[in-house]
Amino acid sequence: MKAFEWIPNKSIGDLCFNMTKEETRRVMKDAVYTPWFSGRSDIYKDYSIRLDFDDNRLLKAVEFLGIERGFFQVLYNGRVIYPKTVNTFFKIFDKSMFKQDPDDPKSFQCNKLNITGTWNYDHGPALLVGREHYLDESDESLIVHDILDDLSFKLKPGMTRDETRIILHEMSDKLEVYGQADVYAKYLIVKFDNDDRMMSYKYHFRF
């Protein structure tokens, strides 16, 4: 059984946060990986682990997916924290440091330690640990995505580029222009024709 010692905000086993993708693959040695999510993640099915990377191909989070229950362990200060029941988990951690997901009463998150835990009876527990500020950034991304989602309902094909920008003005400070497309916060892509009339929009997490 493989054990991963977790040091909050710094490392998980031999994987150090902010390693390059190539460095993480060397650490994982002969384990077989599958690139996923447009290259933003590597999935190691042998270990049921997903490694997530930022736009600079630096390691930002590691998730233990819970598919192979008991195949590996995650330790914190020498104590096993995964896979464990939610009750055992909170004998090790102060539950008041965690916030509960309002949509999932078995999911908890601690931004200070950058750790989330979910206890699903069908698929087993899942644990994610991230680099410093990872969860703060994730929370901010969700807020931005929700704002864009609400505003996008006002977009109609045939609008001028200026008209779409007026609608999406709340995200104007996060706008990037790629030829005939406006990209808002790297989540919403609005495409225009040669006359700068809107053709379509879609959500994407990386342009």
Side-chain angles (χ1 to χ4, degrees):
M1 180 181 294
K2 186 171 178 61
F4 295 81
E5 180 75 31
W6 171 57
I7 301 176
N9 303 317
K10 294 183 179 180
S11 61
I12 176 75
D14 294 328
L15 295 166
C16 297
F17 296 118
N18 295 316
M19 273 183 169
T20 66
K21 185 177 291 189
E22 292 71 24
E23 288 172 334
T24 64
R25 290 175 179 176
R26 287 196 292 269
V27 167
M28 297 300 289
K29 298 180 180 177
D30 296 330
V32 178
Y33 65 87
T34 301
W36 184 71
F37 199 32
S38 300
R40 293 181 69 87
S41 302
D42 281 348
I43 291 182
Y44 290 84
K45 292 185 178 179
D46 292 344
Y47 292 99
S48 299
I49 294 173
R50 189 182 81 233
L51 276 56
D52 288 341
F53 303 90
D54 64 17
D55 289 338
N56 297 314
R57 296 167 61 88
L58 301 179
L59 181 65
K60 62 180 182 178
V62 178
E63 184 172 21
F64 295 83
L65 301 172
I67 300 169
E68 300 292 342
R69 191 188 294 251
F71 189 76
F72 50 78
Q73 294 178 328
V74 178
L75 291 81
Y76 171 62
N77 289 335
R79 302 177 68 182
V80 177
I81 62 171
Y82 177 90
K84 287 291 183 180
T85 66
V86 64
N87 291 334
T88 301
F89 186 84
F90 285 120
K91 288 179 181 178
I92 298 172
F93 294 100
D94 180 358
K95 194 173 183 179
S96 67
M97 294 174 59
F98 289 73
K99 60 182 179 181
Q100 191 174 31
D101 186 335
D103 298 319
D104 186 350
K106 290 290 187 179
S107 183
F108 298 85
Q109 170 177 321
C110 177
N111 286 36
K112 181 178 180 180
L113 298 176
N114 287 286
I115 182 174
T116 65
T118 301
W119 286 266
N120 183 293
Y121 291 114
D122 294 327
H123 303 291
L127 186 79
L128 179 144
V129 292
R131 66 188 180 186
E132 192 172 15
H133 305 306
Y134 171 78
L135 289 176
D136 289 334
E137 293 167 358
S138 295
D139 289 346
E140 181 182 1
S141 295
L142 289 173
I143 292 171
V144 170
H145 187 279
D146 287 345
I147 293 172
L148 286 169
D149 195 36
D150 290 339
L151 294 173
S152 67
F153 284 106
K154 300 177 182 179
L155 299 178
K156 305 295 180 185
M159 283 182 167
T160 66
R161 192 184 291 248
D162 287 341
E163 287 172 333
T164 65
R165 289 180 177 177
I166 289 171
I167 291 173
L168 296 164
H169 70 279
E170 291 183 44
M171 293 290 106
S172 61
D173 62 324
K174 299 180 183 293
L175 168 67
E176 296 180 37
V177 181
Y178 293 88
Q180 291 180 212
D182 284 357
V183 183
Y184 291 84
K186 297 187 179 180
Y187 301 124
L188 179 67
I189 302 174
V190 186
K191 293 186 177 181
F192 303 90
D193 62 20
N194 292 329
D195 297 320
D196 270 354
R197 294 281 179 175
M198 192 194 105
M199 296 189 297
S200 63
Y201 70 84
K202 66 177 182 178
Y203 284 98
H204 194 43
F205 285 92
R206 189 178 189 183
F207 185 75

